[in-house]
Structures are given as C-alpha cells and as structure tokens.
Amino acid sequence: MLNRLADETSPYLQQHAGNPVDWYPWGEAALALARTTDRPILLSVGYSACHWCHVMAHECFEDGATAALMNQSFVNIKVDREERPDIDQIYQTAHQLMTRRPGGWPLTVFLTPQGQPFFAGTFFPRHSRHGLPGFDDLLQRVAEVWRLQREQVSAQGESLVRALSATLPTRQEGADALHETAVQAATGLHKALMQAFDAVHGGFGGAPKFPQPASLGALLRLAVAAHDAAAQAAVLLTLRRMAEGGLVDHLGGGFYRYSTDDQWLIPHFEKMLYDNGPLLRLYAQAWQLTGEPLFRQVCEGTAAWLMREMQAREGGYFSSIDADSEGEEGRFYLWNRDEAAQALGAAEGAAFAARYGLDAAANFEGRAWHLHLARPMADVAVALGRIESDCAALIAGAGARLFALREARQRPGRDDKVLTSWNALAIDAMAFAARVFGEPRWAASARRALDFVRNSLWRDGRLLASSRDGRSHLNAYLDDHAFLLGALLELMQGGPLRADELRFACAVANLMLEQFEDPQLGGFFFTSNDHEALVLRPKSGHDGAMASGNGMAALNLQRLGHLIGEPRYLAAAQRTLALFAAELRQAPHGYATLVEALAEFHTPPTLVVLSGPAAAISAWHAQLDGRYLPGVLTIELPDDTTGLPQVLAKPVGAHPQAWVCRGPQCLPPVADIESLTATLSGHDGG
C-alpha cells in the first residue's frame, strides 16, 4: 500500500511512497495532527540524488519494525529540500546550533507540535555502528523524553527558536561606509582564500573538496582587476585540477557534486544542475582569459550534457542525476579494466588507458577505475611512440565506444522536476557560454528553458518554484527571483535587445522588492510576505553550494538599475549591502557574492550600447564576448528603440557605432571596434 506521499510532485517524496512509515508531506494536515494528538514531529529532509538518504531509507524507513516505532510515537514528515529550501534552511541552522557542526542530508530533526526543534542529527543507521547511535534506540529514547520531560523539551525548543532569530543580520554602526567596506571585504576575501589555497592540487582546504564557483569567480575578478598574478594563478590551477581529475565526467560531460579526496580524484557521483550552471560560466570565463583548450573542452562537455540529459522536451532543465545505480554509488560511471580493453582495439585501448589511468592500479576502493586525465597528451605520445594528433584521434574514438557501452548500462535515477532557481543558473550559464564561444545551439537551449519558466512558472504576475508533469506549484523563493533576474540580464546581451525580456526583468525585480525586501532593516527575506508562517523567516547573505539570494539580488538589482536608470533598484541593493556590511568586514570569504556586488557598488558596471547593421554588430559582439569583461554589460539595440530607457535611446543608423556609459553618462560614440576595445582596455576586472 502507498502512503500519502504517492500524490506528491517530488520524485524524492515518491521514492518513499511505498514505505511502511505513515509519512506526511509538510503541510497543515501534518502540523494539525501533531497539535491535536500532542505528538512530536519527526522531520526527515533529503533529496532524490542523495546517496546517504538512500542508505537510511533502506535501513530504517523500509523496515517494518522501525516504521512501527515511528508511527506509534511521532507524526512523520518527509521533505524534499529542493522543493522546500525554506524548511531545510531553518532546520539545518537549528542542527548547527544544537550540534556545533555543519549538517547535511539526510537531515533528521525532532520538533515539538509547534515546529520548535529540540533534537537533530543527520544520517542514522538502524543499529548503532561507527560511533553513531542506532535509529531504533534513538526513537525510543526521544519518545521517552517527550513523555517524561515535556517541560524541559518545550523550554529547549523555545530557547532554540530564540537562538535562530538571533542569527538574522542587523544593521550596525558604520554600515553606510560602503566604499571603505568594499576595500576591506576585497582584501579580506583575498587573504582568507589564499591562506587556505592548496598550491599542489588547487582548491581551498582539505577533503572533502567542493568546487565553490562563487568564491572562485569573485577571487578571479578581484585578481584580474588588481593585476594579482598569484591569485589569478590560484583560481586557474584549481580549475585545471578539477578538470583533469575525477570531478568531471570525461565521457559524458558535466560535474559531479564534490571530491572525497584532496586531489579531486574520486567524487561523490551525483550530478546537480545548480553546480553545473555556475561552473560552466566560470570555465567559459577562464577560457576568455587563457584560451586554454582544456577549459573549452569542459564547457563543450558540460553544455552537451545539459542539452542531452537534463533538458526536457518542453524546455526546462531537470534537477539532478542520482549518485547510485543498481544499489551502488558510482556504478554507472566506474570501469573494469578488462571490460574497457575488450571493447577497444589494441591501439585505442593503449592510448585511452595511458591518458585516463586504466594502466595504473584501481583507484576506486581498490576494485574499479574512475576516469581522470592521468597523463598529458604529450606524455602519452612519447610512451606510445606516436605523434600527438594520432593519439588524440585514437582516444576520441575509444571515448566514443566506451560512452556507447556505458549508455547500455542501467542508468542512475534522474530527478525530473524543474526548479526555477536552478534553471535560472543554467539559463544564465548557457547564454553566457553561447556568447563566448559563438554557439547558437546553446543560446537556443537557454531560451527554450526561459520560455518554459515564463509559460509554466509565471502565473498571474507571480513566480512559482517547481514544476513536474504539468503541475507547477509552491510560492517562489528569493533565489528564484534573484537568479532569474540574472539570467534575463545575461540573455539580453545575446543579440538585439528584446523589449519583452526587459519588461519581464523589471516585473521580476518589482516583485522581489514588493514581496521579499525588509523595508525597515534592508536586505531580502528568503520567503515572500504571503508565505506560510514558519518558526523563522530566514534572511541570509552567506554563500552555500549556491550563491546567496541576497548577494545575487544586490548584484542584479544594481545592474538593472544602472541599465534602465531606476533609482529604486539601486537603493534596495545599497540597503542590502549596508545590512550585511559587518559580515563583509568580518568574514568576507563566506560572502563572496555580496563582495562582488559591493565591488560593483564601488565601481558601477560599464554599459556598452551597440547599434547598426546586424552583420557588422555581430562581428563586434564576437570580439567583445571573447574577452574577460565581468564588469561590462553589452546591449545591442533593436531596429525600433521606441519606449526604451533614456540611456538606451540611441540612434540606429546605417553604420555600426557604440556608446560606452557609466550610469547616465556616456562617452561620444565610436565607429570602429578597435577604438571600442581600446576604450574598454581598463575594464577587464572592473
């Protein structure tokens, strides 16, 4: 028999629909039941691609005896953290306050009927092992404490909610000294990251290593602007080591979630849309700076994977690919050396093995091989006594054969819901990479995804967060609006300006100010004004796996404000930066996106307005798009400029010309691309 999760849109919740646990989705029915029966809530938060979520489900939630303990004493609520990041954010913070260590998934939290947390953990085995208490024993102990120590438990829950409220930012003295804060934050970010930099393998700190695209992107921009060769080299080395190691799927494209070791060799094998979008953009920027073939190959592989495996026929991008298949993590991606050799000819097999490490000892648990760039192509050529081009051709042919062989395996599960925020990150990256590399197919893919968002997730002037099987629902969050605004600003730079996209961007920005901004203190809440009341209304500026919503809101509102001359957007961004000014001075390495937004407050973005015949302007675009210009917005005017903002109300003549503007002030127009690039020569990092 199926439980109440069977009718949910989330694939993760549906994975638990056959459990003997009497699961409820988060909602009034479950919360009311907890209050009327005076039972505590057992909240379990996870997501469909999560390996340890699967392990706990198999050990605990599929077991009849464990389910009986859960059903007897608790109201059991299962939450998909991707659909409900608001709930996840609150109770992850609660976990950290209670345990003094970071959380993760699965997240296991016990709540009072009023939603106040009083005990939290992450993964629990059914029976105790490796220093972890058994889940069955834990259930019985928590139920006993609830019966016998109710007052203490309630007091602890109330105290923790007060502690949660104390985590919200407050404006402090000196918050308006933003230009001074910009310098301090940039210096602090640089110092903290460079002190933690691994000069051998790249990245910051030790294992496990996460890609951290927000930190890498901000450091790269600061380094180029300051002509800091060491910091720029640190970012580029990190990107090379990630691309050479096992964090990249060398056959199918795309990035895995993180590396379990210092060397970026063995990953946690899930593939998340929210990682791949920002990393695609970052690698395209690295190519702009260096022209290195490796960076281009990564972009091509990631974009191809996004279109092949992650884009629905209707246009939206799916959320994730599971780490597991056939009950084992990484099984789909790992190789047996004999299997690979049998599929390839002798010459192909030797070249591929030398390049990707199949001629060395097994690197995954001593029993299998995970592909990585083990040797440079030049070394492969020397070892085989062949010229490099011959080796490259052999390896390409071998890769195609092994990819086809791998495609016949049982595939990992795919979470096929479409999330607005994650789609916005992918749209932004695909549109940007399309400009950089002149790839119209990538731009078309991005526009198809945007069309899906507008048609399926924009309803009656409001944005929704999630869609699957024709069902779109859930109030959108701050991230949905802030990231979508960034995607629209990027798409507007990919050809003649589309007035409807500019209007849509303004509608999203207006909605963000109306529903999310704190009019008293500044900054943006994570949930809208009309969202359901929870024990906390989060307002964070800290970057996590994704850039912070407040950071992206400040960055993109400034850009749109300068583009159309709208002071409301600029003022809201300034209030946000002032709210987080203390954090930016004290711990800037945790707020890289806000540091980048603050840098643009200090030095506003440059606007390049292009007009003229399409063929000539296309050539100008190509030259500009191939350069690293993170502080430049390039807008090509349409033939009809009626109704455009004043700064864009330029004449469109028979010859190409360009205006370079900062705010409402524009330099005289230039009529040749050489003069334009010379004018922009000092803007590479600004």
Side-chain angles (χ1 to χ4, degrees), residues 568-588:
R568 291 186 305 122
Y569 301 158
L570 299 176
Q574 184 173 349
R575 288 191 294 270
T576 302
L577 294 170
L579 175 67
F580 291 101
E583 285 90 339
L584 290 172
R585 290 191 295 267
Q586 294 164 8

Side-chain angles (χ1 to χ4, degrees), residues 304-450:
W305 171 74
L306 284 168
M307 292 189 293
R308 183 184 67 247
E309 296 187 27
M310 299 300 284
Q311 191 159 29
R313 288 190 300 272
E314 297 79 9
Y317 296 111
F318 300 134
S319 295
S320 63
I321 303 288
D322 207 329
D324 299 6
S325 59
E326 300 181 69
E328 295 181 20
E329 183 179 10
R331 184 179 179 89
F332 180 77
Y333 302 103
L334 298 170
W335 288 94
N336 175 285
R337 185 159 55 188
D338 293 338
E339 176 191 20
Q342 290 171 9
L344 305 174
E348 279 186 342
F352 190 87
R355 177 69 162 152
Y356 288 102
L358 290 177
D359 59 353
N363 59 13
F364 184 83
E365 298 179 354
R367 60 178 176 82
W369 281 259
H370 179 52
L371 302 181
H372 66 290
L373 294 182
R375 294 181 182 84
M377 191 69 75
D379 292 356
V380 174
V382 170
L384 298 182
R386 294 177 177 271
I387 61 174
E388 283 190 45
S389 59
D390 285 352
C391 290
L394 288 169
I395 290 167
R401 291 176 190 272
L402 293 182
F403 176 75
L405 182 63
R406 195 180 79 174
E407 286 292 280
R409 296 175 178 174
Q410 181 175 321
R411 302 186 65 84
R414 180 174 62 194
D415 189 321
D416 59 355
K417 66 177 178 292
V418 175
L419 298 171
T420 300
S421 58
W422 298 11
N423 267 252
L425 293 173
I427 291 166
D428 171 86
M430 288 291 278
F432 176 72
R435 285 201 293 128
V436 171
F437 295 107
E439 285 284 357
R441 293 180 304 113
W442 301 358
S445 172
R447 289 203 177 277
R448 286 181 58 220
L450 177 67

Side-chain angles (χ1 to χ4, degrees), residues 91-107 120-123 208 210 542:
Y91 293 110
Q92 291 285 357
T93 305
H95 173 277
Q96 188 157 2
L97 289 172
M98 282 189 273
T99 65
R100 305 299 178 190
R101 60 178 182 271
W105 300 279
L107 178 67
T122 51
F123 169 81
F210 290 80
H542 197 282

Side-chain angles (χ1 to χ4, degrees), residues 421 424-425 478-487 546-549 552 556:
S421 58
L425 293 173
L478 172 62
D479 290 3
D480 298 299
H481 296 78
F483 296 176
L484 182 57
L485 181 54
M546 295 185 293
S548 79
M552 292 290 276
N556 293 323

Side-chain angles (χ1 to χ4, degrees), residues 208-221:
K209 280 186 174 177
F210 290 80
Q212 301 184 46
S215 295
L216 288 168
L219 181 60
L220 183 64
R221 183 170 177 179

Side-chain angles (χ1 to χ4, degrees), residues 198 200-212 238 241-242 244-248 256-269 329 334 362-365 370-372:
D198 180 344
V200 177
H201 303 298
F204 308 108
K209 280 186 174 177
F210 290 80
Q212 301 184 46
T238 299
R241 293 292 182 263
M242 290 196 300
E244 293 164 349
L247 194 70
V248 169
Y256 304 109
R257 181 68 193 92
Y258 64 84
S259 174
T260 62
D261 56 74
D262 288 338
Q263 303 174 46
W264 304 104
L265 182 60
I266 302 300
H268 190 40
F269 284 92
E329 183 179 10
L334 298 170
N363 59 13
F364 184 83
E365 298 179 354
H370 179 52
L371 302 181
H372 66 290

Side-chain angles (χ1 to χ4, degrees), residues 483-674:
F483 296 176
L484 182 57
L485 181 54
L488 288 164
L489 286 167
E490 178 53 55
L491 281 167
M492 281 188 253
Q493 301 179 71
L497 178 65
R498 301 185 183 192
D500 67 315
E501 287 181 353
L502 181 56
R503 287 192 295 270
F504 187 36
C506 292
V508 171
N510 292 338
L511 187 58
M512 192 157 57
L513 267 60
E514 171 193 317
Q515 285 289 333
F516 294 87
E517 191 185 14
D518 182 341
Q520 278 77 43
L521 296 178
F524 295 87
F525 292 105
F526 187 70
T527 54
S528 60
N529 291 337
D530 55 2
H531 196 79
E532 70 172 293
L534 301 170
V535 295
L536 181 73
R537 193 177 180 193
K539 190 207 291 186
S540 173
H542 197 282
D543 293 322
M546 295 185 293
S548 79
N550 269 284
M552 292 290 276
L555 183 69
N556 293 323
L557 283 171
Q558 284 181 152
R559 293 189 152 213
L560 184 60
H562 288 299
L563 177 63
I564 68 171
E566 176 51 76
R568 291 186 305 122
Y569 301 158
L570 299 176
Q574 184 173 349
R575 288 191 294 270
T576 302
L577 294 170
L579 175 67
F580 291 101
E583 285 90 339
L584 290 172
R585 290 191 295 267
Q586 294 164 8
H589 56 286
Y591 297 81
T593 308
L594 276 165
V595 172
E596 194 167 351
L598 187 55
E600 287 203 2
F601 172 82
H602 186 269
T603 305
T606 299
L607 174 63
V608 176
V609 182
L610 303 176
S611 77
I617 292 302
S618 177
W620 287 31
H621 251 304
Q623 287 221 35
L624 295 178
D625 294 341
R627 292 181 56 187
Y628 179 74
L629 298 168
V632 173
L633 294 171
T634 304
I635 299 296
E636 178 184 342
L637 295 179
D639 293 335
D640 183 5
T641 60
T642 304
L644 291 182
Q646 181 179 355
V647 73
L648 299 177
K650 308 297 183 187
V652 179
H655 303 284
Q657 53 186 340
W659 291 261
V660 177
C661 312
R662 266 219 170 115
Q665 303 299 319
C666 297
L667 299 176
V670 296
D672 61 89
I673 185 62
E674 292 78 14

